Amino acid sequence: MKNENLVPKVRFKGFSDPWEQRKLGELFNERKEKSSQGELLSVTINSGIVKFDTLDRKNNSSADKSNYRVVRYGDIAYNSMRMWQGASGLSMYNGIVSPAYTVITPRTNTDAGFMAVNFKRKSMIQVFQRNSQGLTSDTWNLKFPVLKNIRISIPKITEQQIITELFTVINNLIAANEDKLEQLKTLKKLMMQKIFSQEWRFKGFTDPWEQRKLKDVSMIGSASRVHQGDWREHGIRFLRSSDIVKMSNREIVRNRIFIEKKLFNKLSAETGSPKTDDVLITGGGSIGTAYRITDDSPIYFKDADVLWIRTKNINGKFLVSYFKTNIFRKYLHSIAHIGTISHYTIIQLKNTPIQLPAYSEQNRIGDCFVTLNSLIAANEDKLNQLKNLKKYLMQNMFV
């Protein structure tokens, strides 16, 4: 290969030498040590090497572990039959793994962390797939005698180590944000259970909630009744503004037609269509999926069956939160036909029972979930940005 092909597109300042092509057998030795003693480890596609007892998985390991392979801290282990799927990882533990795994240990001037990231790259996984032996994917196998002859491009050890440090930071940030996001979702789930069962109440609210039907506290219709012209056959959905490419008074993304908020407001004034704080809920497709109209919600029309609730004596933020509770999901299940809901009709929606607190308490509850949803959305955005950054660097920091 020419030298210009051995230089990555993205590189740390101070490094300019072309990368070298080496066989993996020049960079790693196979660890053939066996033992029945040690903590049982497992190699996963998404999380690399983990302690087996942290997995929600039945232990099917052999009672006789005398042929199990020893893994040391800093080794790379991979599933010989799943290397073509990315089942490899850098070990942060000492332990043992199934004989189905291959364990390799880095030689001098080889950074295992750098190589572990490299092994997860799509182009490398494709190389592993091409070199796996077997007639079908169920029998593809990549043992060390074949792996060691695969050629790979690497920089000098100092550049390897800096790249390892970068990906360690990114991986730690991704893990921390995943944990935070999971905690927020767990908190939301708990609060929905406790608040709508009235086990938890905001301070200052003690009056019992009233049993009502939606038709008593709102106006209910079909969103399809307010469609005009081109929009007649479509239902209502939402997109974030970042997903929208504006063109004149229509917004077009991936061949879908959007209506600017300005035009939508004009239609609302002329036809009495849904407005801010009204709630839309699907009566077909993904039944019971609810949205609350807000000032900053881009609206687009797509095939769907959408029911429209004009809030009157009920808070829209409270109502859309209620539609996401297990209480409401159980109600939907109770009116299912032949075990599956085929359609959620206007009549069924009108007769939907709901426990209602005073309007001021509804507002507090609604605001609480709006805040939680915003925190969850912000953390999802941050997590996606980190994952996209990692993906970009994996594509452009390696040769």
Side-chain angles (χ1 to χ4, degrees), residues 4 11 60 94 150 263 269 277 325 346 352 383:
E4 57 264 28
R11 206 167 190 186
N60 293 318
N94 294 320
I150 293 175
L263 179 58
D277 207 44
T325 64
I346 288 179
T352 296
L383 182 58

Side-chain angles (χ1 to χ4, degrees), residues 91-300:
S91 182
M92 307 306 291
Y93 315 101
N94 294 320
I96 56 174
V97 292
S98 161
Y101 295 148
T102 298
V103 181
I104 56 179
T105 183
R107 292 186 177 187
T108 305
N109 292 329
T110 303
D111 185 89
F114 168 85
M115 297 302 298
V117 175
N118 207 344
F119 283 178
K120 291 288 190 178
R121 295 171 58 237
K122 183 177 180 180
S123 58
M124 276 305 307
I125 291 174
Q126 290 172 343
V127 171
F128 295 144
Q129 180 177 336
R130 289 196 299 270
N131 284 273
S132 293
Q133 299 177 328
L135 296 177
T136 67
S137 60
D138 289 337
T139 61
W140 286 348
N141 202 302
L142 185 61
K143 294 291 188 179
F144 187 71
V146 176
L147 179 89
K148 70 179 183 180
N149 290 315
I150 293 175
R151 300 185 71 84
I152 190 170
S153 298
I154 64 166
K156 291 183 169 55
I157 186 66
T158 51
E159 189 171 0
Q160 293 180 44
Q161 291 169 341
I162 292 175
I163 292 173
T164 297
E165 290 174 7
L166 172 63
F167 279 94
T168 298
V169 171
I170 293 175
N171 287 334
N172 288 341
L173 286 171
I174 288 174
N177 278 273
E178 286 176 336
D179 287 344
K180 185 177 180 180
L181 183 59
E182 190 60 35
Q183 290 170 8
L184 284 169
K185 289 181 176 180
T186 300
L187 174 61
K188 179 183 175 181
K189 183 178 179 180
L190 176 64
M191 292 185 70
M192 294 190 81
Q193 291 173 346
K194 298 296 185 180
I195 287 177
F196 284 94
S197 68
Q198 302 172 56
E199 188 175 342
W200 288 357
R201 302 285 296 272
F202 283 99
K203 186 176 180 180
F205 296 101
T206 57
D207 293 340
W209 292 17
E210 296 182 0
Q211 178 77 38
R212 306 294 294 274
K213 290 185 178 180
L214 273 181
K215 65 181 179 181
D216 299 329
V217 292
S218 62
M219 297 168 58
I220 297 173
S222 171
S224 61
R225 293 180 182 174
V226 302
H227 297 163
Q228 301 290 318
D230 294 340
W231 328 117
R232 189 177 304 281
E233 74 276 19
H234 297 293
I236 295 179
R237 286 287 188 277
F238 298 88
L239 270 188
R240 294 181 184 176
S241 57
S242 59
D243 296 325
I244 293 177
V245 179
K246 294 188 176 180
M247 294 184 63
S248 184
N249 69 332
R250 296 181 180 180
E251 300 166 339
I252 302 176
V253 177
R254 298 189 186 96
N255 298 320
R256 294 174 179 168
I257 300 175
F258 296 75
I259 298 182
E260 278 188 336
K261 192 68 183 180
K262 179 172 60 177
L263 179 58
F264 180 73
N265 287 339
K266 181 180 178 182
L267 287 175
S268 296
E270 293 175 353
T271 65
S273 59
K275 64 178 184 180
T276 298
D277 207 44
D278 284 358
V279 173
L280 305 169
I281 185 168
T282 53
S286 297
I287 305 229
T289 302
Y291 305 90
R292 172 177 161 264
I293 298 177
T294 61
D295 288 335
D296 59 352
S297 295
I299 297 169
Y300 73 93

Side-chain angles (χ1 to χ4, degrees), residues 195-196 202 292 315-322 357 359-373:
I195 287 177
F196 284 94
F202 283 99
R292 172 177 161 264
N315 183 281
K317 294 175 288 188
F318 174 88
L319 180 60
V320 79
S321 298
Y322 169 74
Y359 194 89
S360 56
E361 188 174 359
Q362 292 179 39
N363 195 49
R364 286 288 299 276
I365 293 170
D367 285 343
C368 173
F369 285 107
V370 166
T371 300
L372 261 178
N373 289 335

Side-chain angles (χ1 to χ4, degrees), residues 24-25 27-35 39-43 49 67-81 83 87-107 112 119 141-145 147-148:
L24 286 175
L27 307 175
F28 288 96
N29 292 317
E30 182 178 13
R31 188 182 292 280
K32 297 182 178 181
E33 185 180 353
K34 299 179 181 179
S35 177
E39 184 164 22
L40 184 61
L41 305 176
S42 184
V43 181
I49 298 178
N67 284 323
Y68 273 50
R69 297 183 176 274
V70 171
V71 179
R72 304 291 183 194
Y73 180 94
D75 287 347
I76 290 178
Y78 68 88
N79 187 326
S80 304
M81 297 186 69
M83 189 59 158
S88 66
L90 174 67
S91 182
M92 307 306 291
Y93 315 101
N94 294 320
I96 56 174
V97 292
S98 161
Y101 295 148
T102 298
V103 181
I104 56 179
T105 183
R107 292 186 177 187
F119 283 178
N141 202 302
L142 185 61
K143 294 291 188 179
F144 187 71
L147 179 89
K148 70 179 183 180

